[in-house]
Every structure is written in C-alpha cells, then in structure tokens.
Amino acid sequence: MRSFAPTQAPTLSRRAVRTRFIDSSPLLEEGDFDGLRRRGEDEGYLFFAGLLPAEAIRRARRDMLAVVEAYGWRMPGQEPLGGLLDLDALNQVPDEEMRSDIGVSRAAYHDVQKLESFHALPHHPNILAFYRGLFGEEALVHPRHIARMITAHRVMVPTPQHQDFPLIQGSSNTWTCWFPLGDCPRSMGSLTLLRASHKQGYIPIRRTRGAGGIAVQLCRGAKVWVEGDFAEGDVLTFPCFTVHRALPQRHKEQIRLSLDVRYQPVSDAVEQKSLLPHCPLSWEEIYAGWESDNLKYYWNASAPKLSPWDATLLQPARRIC
Ligand SMILES: O=C(O)CCC(=O)C(=O)O
Ligand SMILES: [Fe+2]
C-alpha cells in the first residue's frame, strides 16, 4: 500500500515548513469573536476568504491602473482591470525616481495617494465590523494607507521578513490588514507569515533592502511559514509582532496591487505619523479632487491620544538566540 504520511513533520523538523492559511470565515459568520481572538492568539493571523465584495475592490483597482496607464507603463489593448505592464517603459524610470517600497515612481504614487477610492476601501463595513468585534470597541483606521504596486522594475526586491511594530509603534494591539486588489496567487508575490511568531515579541533588526528597510533575525529551529493563493476579496490580518514577508513575484509582466492598512482599538494611543499620509503630500493636497467630505480628517472625531516615537526600535542590534 502507498503511504501518504507527510514528508516533513512541522514539530520535529529544524527546517522551514510551508503550509496554507486557515480560513476563519466560518467563525466570523457565526460572530464568534472569542473563537477568532483565540485563533489569532494561537496562529498569529486571521485569514478571511471573500471578506470584501468585488465592486469595492474593482473601483480602487481600476483607478490605480488608470494612474499606471497615464504614466505609459500599462500594456495597451487590455480591459480596464487588466494588470499587464510594459516593463521596458517602466524600466525607463531612473532608479532615484522610484519608490522601491511601492513599485512605481514617486510621482505616480502621489497620484495614487490622491485617489478617493483607495482611501475609502479600508473603511468597508465588512472590515470595520470584524475589527469592532475583535477589539470589543470601535476600531481606529490609521489613515496612512499604503498601496503596493509591485512591479519588476530593476530596483525592486521582495519585502523582507519583518514585524510592523517598530515601523508603526503606538498601540501594541495594532493589526495590519493586507489584501490584494484582484486575484494574487503565491506566484504573484503574495504575503506569507511565520506562524505564531507574534509570541516572540519585539525581535532585533538589521538593515536591508526592500520595503521597510529592516529585517528580523530569526533563530534556528522549526519554522512554519503560512501562505496562500489569494482570490479577489480575500483578506489577511495579523498583529503587529507577527513576522511576515512577500513571496517572490514570478510573473514579471504583471503588476501586484495590494493594500496594507492598520487598525487599532480607538481608545489606545497612536503614534502621530500613523495619522499622516504615506507620502510627502498634505491631506489638503490629497483631498483636493474628492467628491465626498465624509472621510476627510475622520480620525479627529475620536480625538486619539498620541504616544511617542521610539527610535531605538529601528536601530540594528544583534539577536542572541
Ligand atoms: O505587500 C508587501 O510586499 C508588504 C506588505 C507588508 O509588509 C504589510 O502589509 O505590513
Ligand atoms: Fe509589514
């Protein structure tokens, strides 16, 4: 008889093992927030298949691709949601004009930061209802949303393994929410994370290339990297000490569009940069072409407490394992 025993036993191996996200949608559908908190605490993440409806995602995707097109980097002849690039055209952008944490030029990223649809998406009621249940109070959405527009421009490298806390600080109960704008299989460079790594607390960093510019030093021993092929609408969220990184983008001709957004309990303090745009534009410049006033300066209504920035968290230090 053929044996179907696993070739790698996660608890025994000293090597890294790769496994797939557990879909927590059934717990969310039942409103079982104790179960969700328990799973988040055990696994270091929560994944929800199809949490966001297609229309909401497509509005932002279409607007972001229109920016890519305006700069001449989009392959002509596609339907408006097609993400094929003209990589030769993109590679004409000088290295110093690129935002290597994003994937396009500074100017293009500023245009994306001005999009109302991009800023509206993180306020989708399905996401807010989840965090309200998780925190047991209203969630503060950090307005500093990040749009990743990952391309194969020569300056780009996959996001290195890191924790978000030293980059964001403020509340230690801040959660990152990561979701692609459209299908994003692992081969397109989706996010992967180290199971239960949030239990290690803050991990000393070293400086490196790639988004964030920092990498955590991992000790030897068994590791379980959790990953998955994202379909449009799937959402991954994790606490700010969970180690995560991007998989390599193998489809060089495609742009990988995704958002990363942070949420925290509204009564916790926030570090003031989390209330600023993720680029040098002012909120007034970002808001200039918006149709609605509803989301302008929305965080002021909850008068968030501020907490200080700790620069030592971004100083490289050797990890003693
Ligand atoms: O999308 C990426 O490559 C990086 C995302 C990330 O680090 C995050 O969501 O915190
Ligand atoms: Fe991150």
Side-chain angles (χ1 to χ4, degrees):
M1 224 177 87
R2 282 173 63 197
S3 162
F4 291 95
T7 50
Q8 290 175 312
T11 47
L12 300 178
S13 171
R14 300 184 68 207
R15 295 180 39 223
V17 173
R18 294 161 68 162
T19 181
R20 299 300 172 87
F21 296 125
I22 302 168
D23 181 10
S24 291
S25 306
L27 290 176
L28 187 57
E29 276 152 27
E30 288 162 18
D32 182 0
F33 286 99
D34 286 336
L36 287 165
R37 274 188 288 271
R38 223 174 300 124
R39 179 165 294 161
E41 182 49 34
D42 288 345
E43 306 287 330
Y45 76 93
L46 292 168
F47 174 86
F48 301 107
L51 182 62
L52 284 169
E55 325 82 79
I57 289 181
R58 290 183 188 177
R59 215 168 297 135
R61 179 177 173 90
R62 192 175 301 115
D63 290 350
M64 282 163 68
L65 288 172
V67 172
V68 177
E69 175 143 334
Y71 282 82
W73 306 323
R74 203 162 159 265
M75 195 62 93
Q78 302 173 70
E79 47 95 20
L81 294 171
L84 282 180
L85 290 171
D86 179 345
L87 199 51
D88 290 338
L90 181 67
N91 269 320
Q92 302 298 313
V93 178
D95 295 5
E96 60 279 8
E97 286 178 25
M98 285 290 291
R99 279 208 53 161
S100 60
D101 57 337
I102 305 298
V104 293
S105 70
R106 282 169 214 288
Y109 188 49
H110 296 174
D111 290 350
V112 165
Q113 280 287 343
K114 291 178 181 173
L115 295 173
E116 192 170 2
S117 56
F118 159 66
H119 285 276
L121 190 48
H123 296 265
H124 194 280
N126 294 3
I127 296 189
L128 295 183
F130 158 68
Y131 286 109
R132 191 181 302 122
L134 183 78
F135 297 144
E137 61 173 280
E138 281 306 314
L140 173 68
V141 186
H142 293 190
R144 192 182 180 80
H145 316 319
I146 305 181
R148 309 282 174 186
M149 306 172 72
I150 304 296
T151 64
H153 185 282
R154 62 185 167 271
V155 298
M156 297 300 294
V157 294
T159 302
Q161 57 193 27
H162 68 280
Q163 298 175 312
D164 283 348
F165 187 73
L167 298 166
I168 295 165
Q169 305 195 15
S171 168
S172 56
N173 197 17
T174 299
W175 284 57
T176 289
C177 184
W178 187 95
F179 56 90
L181 300 181
D183 293 346
C184 184
R186 288 168 294 159
S187 56
M188 268 183 73
S190 56
L191 218 62
T192 178
L193 53 82
L194 194 56
R195 182 173 181 269
S197 50
H198 64 303
K199 294 180 184 172
Q200 299 181 44
Y202 170 79
I203 302 176
I205 56 137
R206 60 182 174 80
R207 291 258 154 216
T208 188
R209 284 177 68 207
I214 57 168
V216 289
Q217 302 159 57
L218 297 176
C219 298
R220 289 159 66 104
K223 289 179 190 60
V224 181
W225 286 97
V226 199
E227 57 186 35
D229 295 319
F230 287 72
E232 181 179 58
D234 294 354
V235 169
L236 175 66
T237 184
F238 48 88
C240 54
F241 289 104
T242 296
V243 174
H244 56 285
R245 63 181 166 88
L247 292 167
Q249 181 16 327
R250 305 211 182 277
H251 300 291
K252 305 287 181 215
E253 73 293 349
Q254 284 277 353
I255 191 163
R256 191 208 84 188
L257 296 178
S258 63
L259 257 60
D260 39 290
V261 188
R262 276 88 203 167
Y263 299 79
Q264 65 167 78
V266 73
S267 63
D268 281 8
V270 62
E271 201 285 318
Q272 57 175 349
K273 280 192 292 307
S274 294
L275 304 176
L276 296 176
H278 189 247
C279 69
L281 297 177
S282 66
W283 285 121
E284 278 309 300
E285 289 168 312
I286 284 177
Y287 294 154
W290 286 23
E291 282 176 6
S292 163
D293 292 335
N294 290 349
L295 284 177
K296 294 181 180 172
Y297 303 105
Y298 64 87
W299 57 93
N300 285 337
S302 52
K305 288 179 291 194
L306 297 181
S307 67
W309 179 255
D310 180 357
T312 63
L313 298 181
L314 286 174
Q315 278 164 14
R318 231 181 109 216
R319 183 175 191 189
I320 315 290
C321 287

